[in-house]
Amino acid sequence: MKRAKHLAGWGRTTFLMMATVSLLLWCTGIVMFLFPAAELMDMTPAEVAWRHASGVVHGVLTWFFCVLCGRGVWPHVRVMWHKQDARIKWVLGVMNLIWLLAIALGGLFLLYGSPELHDWMSPLHFWMGALCPLLFLAHTWRKLIPSVGVNNL
């Protein structure tokens, strides 16, 4: 029987699925930002179709993202919570967790909140989501650069 490597709570497949879903969420969020709902009446039919498709895909991917968080993030947090020897990576991981929770709460406010809350939350949710990859890369850069340790994924 092959001995499994220590993966810090992540399986390679789960990590790649999470990265793919995150990238698609980011892309659909950009499309919705570029084609705001307030300007639907001034858009071409193609732009309206892109906006609508992005909204639907973003919503479905959000559900899938939550499933993957349960499959990948929580086991990772459970394994790494007490391993604070690399303090900066641990702090960046906690920041990632808080950032993702804030984005999720913002999405709930956008979905179920009042119109006033929607107007306030929409740009905040967008910019937090748009900048999220930078925080993620700060936390995982050593894992993503092959010469430093991609085998440790």
Side-chain angles (χ1 to χ4, degrees):
M1 186 159 116
K2 196 178 197 182
R3 188 160 196 244
K5 289 183 181 181
H6 173 70
L7 299 174
W10 282 103
R12 190 173 307 273
T13 303
T14 305
F15 182 82
L16 291 174
M17 288 172 56
M18 188 75 153
T20 301
V21 169
S22 297
L23 177 64
L24 291 171
L25 280 168
W26 190 84
C27 290
T28 56
I30 295 291
V31 170
M32 289 189 293
F33 179 76
L34 293 175
F35 302 120
E39 297 178 14
L40 278 173
M41 298 304 288
D42 299 328
M43 291 183 200
T44 67
E47 292 171 339
V48 171
W50 273 102
R51 168 76 165 121
H52 177 72
S54 291
V56 171
V57 171
H58 199 79
V60 171
L61 288 173
T62 300
W63 175 83
F64 196 50
F65 184 83
C66 291
V67 170
L68 287 172
C69 281
R71 177 68 179 100
V73 173
W74 294 125
H76 175 67
V77 169
R78 186 188 73 236
V79 169
M80 301 308 289
W81 189 257
H82 300 290
K83 297 184 180 197
Q84 298 178 16
D85 50 338
R87 192 70 159 160
I88 189 70
K89 285 173 56 178
W90 187 85
V91 168
L92 286 168
V94 171
M95 287 173 60
N96 264 297
L97 182 62
I98 292 168
W99 199 266
L100 286 174
L101 289 172
I103 291 172
L105 285 174
L108 287 173
F109 288 146
L110 287 171
L111 193 58
Y112 298 113
S114 67
E116 296 82 25
L117 184 60
H118 188 279
D119 292 343
W120 178 80
M121 182 55 69
S122 185
L124 182 62
H125 180 78
F126 169 76
W127 286 110
M128 287 183 75
L131 297 175
C132 193
L134 297 176
L135 187 59
F136 175 75
L137 288 173
H139 176 58
T140 61
W141 71 273
R142 286 189 179 149
K143 302 289 185 199
L144 299 174
I145 298 173
S147 64
V148 179
V150 79
N151 293 332
N152 295 332
L153 275 175

PDB file of all heavy atoms in Angstrom, residues 120-134:
ATOM      1  N   TRP A 120     -25.013  49.495  -1.074  1.00  0.00           N
ATOM      2  CA  TRP A 120     -23.813  49.680  -0.259  1.00  0.00           C
ATOM      3  C   TRP A 120     -22.889  48.465  -0.352  1.00  0.00           C
ATOM      4  O   TRP A 120     -21.678  48.597  -0.413  1.00  0.00           O
ATOM      5  CB  TRP A 120     -24.238  49.922   1.195  1.00  0.00           C
ATOM      6  CG  TRP A 120     -23.096  50.067   2.121  1.00  0.00           C
ATOM      7  CD1 TRP A 120     -22.343  51.187   2.318  1.00  0.00           C
ATOM      8  CD2 TRP A 120     -22.565  49.061   2.996  1.00  0.00           C
ATOM      9  NE1 TRP A 120     -21.371  50.940   3.256  1.00  0.00           N
ATOM     10  CE2 TRP A 120     -21.496  49.642   3.689  1.00  0.00           C
ATOM     11  CE3 TRP A 120     -22.887  47.738   3.254  1.00  0.00           C
ATOM     12  CZ2 TRP A 120     -20.744  48.940   4.612  1.00  0.00           C
ATOM     13  CZ3 TRP A 120     -22.143  47.043   4.179  1.00  0.00           C
ATOM     14  CH2 TRP A 120     -21.085  47.643   4.845  1.00  0.00           C
ATOM     15  N   MET A 121     -23.481  47.262  -0.362  1.00  0.00           N
ATOM     16  CA  MET A 121     -22.700  46.034  -0.295  1.00  0.00           C
ATOM     17  C   MET A 121     -22.101  45.633  -1.644  1.00  0.00           C
ATOM     18  O   MET A 121     -21.035  45.025  -1.689  1.00  0.00           O
ATOM     19  CB  MET A 121     -23.571  44.896   0.245  1.00  0.00           C
ATOM     20  CG  MET A 121     -22.852  43.573   0.397  1.00  0.00           C
ATOM     21  SD  MET A 121     -21.364  43.623   1.414  1.00  0.00           S
ATOM     22  CE  MET A 121     -22.054  43.913   3.016  1.00  0.00           C
ATOM     23  N   SER A 122     -22.756  45.954  -2.728  1.00  0.00           N
ATOM     24  CA  SER A 122     -22.308  45.488  -4.039  1.00  0.00           C
ATOM     25  C   SER A 122     -20.861  45.849  -4.358  1.00  0.00           C
ATOM     26  O   SER A 122     -20.063  44.972  -4.707  1.00  0.00           O
ATOM     27  CB  SER A 122     -23.248  46.006  -5.119  1.00  0.00           C
ATOM     28  OG  SER A 122     -22.907  45.479  -6.364  1.00  0.00           O
ATOM     29  N   PRO A 123     -20.445  47.126  -4.251  1.00  0.00           N
ATOM     30  CA  PRO A 123     -19.040  47.418  -4.550  1.00  0.00           C
ATOM     31  C   PRO A 123     -18.076  46.787  -3.548  1.00  0.00           C
ATOM     32  O   PRO A 123     -16.992  46.341  -3.926  1.00  0.00           O
ATOM     33  CB  PRO A 123     -18.947  48.942  -4.500  1.00  0.00           C
ATOM     34  CG  PRO A 123     -20.254  49.448  -4.044  1.00  0.00           C
ATOM     35  CD  PRO A 123     -21.217  48.327  -3.995  1.00  0.00           C
ATOM     36  N   LEU A 124     -18.484  46.721  -2.290  1.00  0.00           N
ATOM     37  CA  LEU A 124     -17.622  46.100  -1.275  1.00  0.00           C
ATOM     38  C   LEU A 124     -17.419  44.621  -1.580  1.00  0.00           C
ATOM     39  O   LEU A 124     -16.295  44.109  -1.540  1.00  0.00           O
ATOM     40  CB  LEU A 124     -18.233  46.295   0.116  1.00  0.00           C
ATOM     41  CG  LEU A 124     -17.439  45.742   1.284  1.00  0.00           C
ATOM     42  CD1 LEU A 124     -16.090  46.434   1.395  1.00  0.00           C
ATOM     43  CD2 LEU A 124     -18.231  45.922   2.573  1.00  0.00           C
ATOM     44  N   HIS A 125     -18.500  43.919  -1.906  1.00  0.00           N
ATOM     45  CA  HIS A 125     -18.430  42.505  -2.235  1.00  0.00           C
ATOM     46  C   HIS A 125     -17.554  42.283  -3.472  1.00  0.00           C
ATOM     47  O   HIS A 125     -16.717  41.378  -3.503  1.00  0.00           O
ATOM     48  CB  HIS A 125     -19.844  41.955  -2.465  1.00  0.00           C
ATOM     49  CG  HIS A 125     -19.908  40.513  -2.812  1.00  0.00           C
ATOM     50  ND1 HIS A 125     -19.776  39.512  -1.881  1.00  0.00           N
ATOM     51  CD2 HIS A 125     -20.108  39.896  -4.010  1.00  0.00           C
ATOM     52  CE1 HIS A 125     -19.896  38.339  -2.481  1.00  0.00           C
ATOM     53  NE2 HIS A 125     -20.090  38.545  -3.774  1.00  0.00           N
ATOM     54  N   PHE A 126     -17.747  43.149  -4.478  1.00  0.00           N
ATOM     55  CA  PHE A 126     -16.949  43.008  -5.692  1.00  0.00           C
ATOM     56  C   PHE A 126     -15.462  43.186  -5.402  1.00  0.00           C
ATOM     57  O   PHE A 126     -14.642  42.369  -5.818  1.00  0.00           O
ATOM     58  CB  PHE A 126     -17.379  44.010  -6.775  1.00  0.00           C
ATOM     59  CG  PHE A 126     -16.398  44.044  -7.906  1.00  0.00           C
ATOM     60  CD1 PHE A 126     -16.376  43.031  -8.842  1.00  0.00           C
ATOM     61  CD2 PHE A 126     -15.456  45.064  -8.007  1.00  0.00           C
ATOM     62  CE1 PHE A 126     -15.447  43.031  -9.873  1.00  0.00           C
ATOM     63  CE2 PHE A 126     -14.526  45.076  -9.024  1.00  0.00           C
ATOM     64  CZ  PHE A 126     -14.525  44.061  -9.959  1.00  0.00           C
ATOM     65  N   TRP A 127     -15.097  44.266  -4.733  1.00  0.00           N
ATOM     66  CA  TRP A 127     -13.672  44.536  -4.518  1.00  0.00           C
ATOM     67  C   TRP A 127     -13.025  43.523  -3.581  1.00  0.00           C
ATOM     68  O   TRP A 127     -11.865  43.165  -3.770  1.00  0.00           O
ATOM     69  CB  TRP A 127     -13.460  45.976  -4.041  1.00  0.00           C
ATOM     70  CG  TRP A 127     -13.654  46.925  -5.170  1.00  0.00           C
ATOM     71  CD1 TRP A 127     -14.686  47.801  -5.339  1.00  0.00           C
ATOM     72  CD2 TRP A 127     -12.814  47.065  -6.319  1.00  0.00           C
ATOM     73  NE1 TRP A 127     -14.537  48.472  -6.538  1.00  0.00           N
ATOM     74  CE2 TRP A 127     -13.401  48.041  -7.154  1.00  0.00           C
ATOM     75  CE3 TRP A 127     -11.639  46.458  -6.725  1.00  0.00           C
ATOM     76  CZ2 TRP A 127     -12.833  48.421  -8.369  1.00  0.00           C
ATOM     77  CZ3 TRP A 127     -11.078  46.842  -7.948  1.00  0.00           C
ATOM     78  CH2 TRP A 127     -11.671  47.805  -8.736  1.00  0.00           C
ATOM     79  N   MET A 128     -13.776  43.048  -2.607  1.00  0.00           N
ATOM     80  CA  MET A 128     -13.223  41.985  -1.754  1.00  0.00           C
ATOM     81  C   MET A 128     -12.983  40.722  -2.570  1.00  0.00           C
ATOM     82  O   MET A 128     -11.950  40.063  -2.422  1.00  0.00           O
ATOM     83  CB  MET A 128     -14.157  41.696  -0.578  1.00  0.00           C
ATOM     84  CG  MET A 128     -14.145  42.785   0.463  1.00  0.00           C
ATOM     85  SD  MET A 128     -15.172  42.370   1.871  1.00  0.00           S
ATOM     86  CE  MET A 128     -14.138  41.161   2.678  1.00  0.00           C
ATOM     87  N   GLY A 129     -13.927  40.383  -3.443  1.00  0.00           N
ATOM     88  CA  GLY A 129     -13.757  39.215  -4.303  1.00  0.00           C
ATOM     89  C   GLY A 129     -12.652  39.402  -5.322  1.00  0.00           C
ATOM     90  O   GLY A 129     -11.888  38.486  -5.616  1.00  0.00           O
ATOM     91  N   ALA A 130     -12.554  40.608  -5.878  1.00  0.00           N
ATOM     92  CA  ALA A 130     -11.530  40.878  -6.887  1.00  0.00           C
ATOM     93  C   ALA A 130     -10.122  40.813  -6.290  1.00  0.00           C
ATOM     94  O   ALA A 130      -9.187  40.380  -6.957  1.00  0.00           O
ATOM     95  CB  ALA A 130     -11.767  42.251  -7.513  1.00  0.00           C
ATOM     96  N   LEU A 131      -9.978  41.221  -5.039  1.00  0.00           N
ATOM     97  CA  LEU A 131      -8.660  41.224  -4.397  1.00  0.00           C
ATOM     98  C   LEU A 131      -8.343  39.917  -3.668  1.00  0.00           C
ATOM     99  O   LEU A 131      -7.203  39.713  -3.248  1.00  0.00           O
ATOM    100  CB  LEU A 131      -8.566  42.401  -3.429  1.00  0.00           C
ATOM    101  CG  LEU A 131      -8.668  43.775  -4.084  1.00  0.00           C
ATOM    102  CD1 LEU A 131      -8.698  44.864  -3.022  1.00  0.00           C
ATOM    103  CD2 LEU A 131      -7.532  43.992  -5.057  1.00  0.00           C
ATOM    104  N   CYS A 132      -9.319  39.053  -3.533  1.00  0.00           N
ATOM    105  CA  CYS A 132      -9.134  37.798  -2.812  1.00  0.00           C
ATOM    106  C   CYS A 132      -7.963  36.957  -3.343  1.00  0.00           C
ATOM    107  O   CYS A 132      -7.220  36.385  -2.555  1.00  0.00           O
ATOM    108  CB  CYS A 132     -10.430  36.988  -2.819  1.00  0.00           C
ATOM    109  SG  CYS A 132     -10.434  35.629  -1.657  1.00  0.00           S
ATOM    110  N   PRO A 133      -7.757  36.869  -4.673  1.00  0.00           N
ATOM    111  CA  PRO A 133      -6.619  36.078  -5.151  1.00  0.00           C
ATOM    112  C   PRO A 133      -5.270  36.571  -4.626  1.00  0.00           C
ATOM    113  O   PRO A 133      -4.355  35.770  -4.420  1.00  0.00           O
ATOM    114  CB  PRO A 133      -6.695  36.214  -6.673  1.00  0.00           C
ATOM    115  CG  PRO A 133      -8.131  36.469  -6.951  1.00  0.00           C
ATOM    116  CD  PRO A 133      -8.609  37.301  -5.786  1.00  0.00           C
ATOM    117  N   LEU A 134      -5.137  37.861  -4.393  1.00  0.00           N
ATOM    118  CA  LEU A 134      -3.871  38.373  -3.861  1.00  0.00           C
ATOM    119  C   LEU A 134      -3.602  37.851  -2.453  1.00  0.00           C
ATOM    120  O   LEU A 134      -2.478  37.451  -2.132  1.00  0.00           O
ATOM    121  CB  LEU A 134      -3.872  39.906  -3.862  1.00  0.00           C
ATOM    122  CG  LEU A 134      -3.962  40.566  -5.228  1.00  0.00           C
ATOM    123  CD1 LEU A 134      -4.065  42.074  -5.081  1.00  0.00           C
ATOM    124  CD2 LEU A 134      -2.791  40.170  -6.091  1.00  0.00           C
TER     125      LEU A 134
END
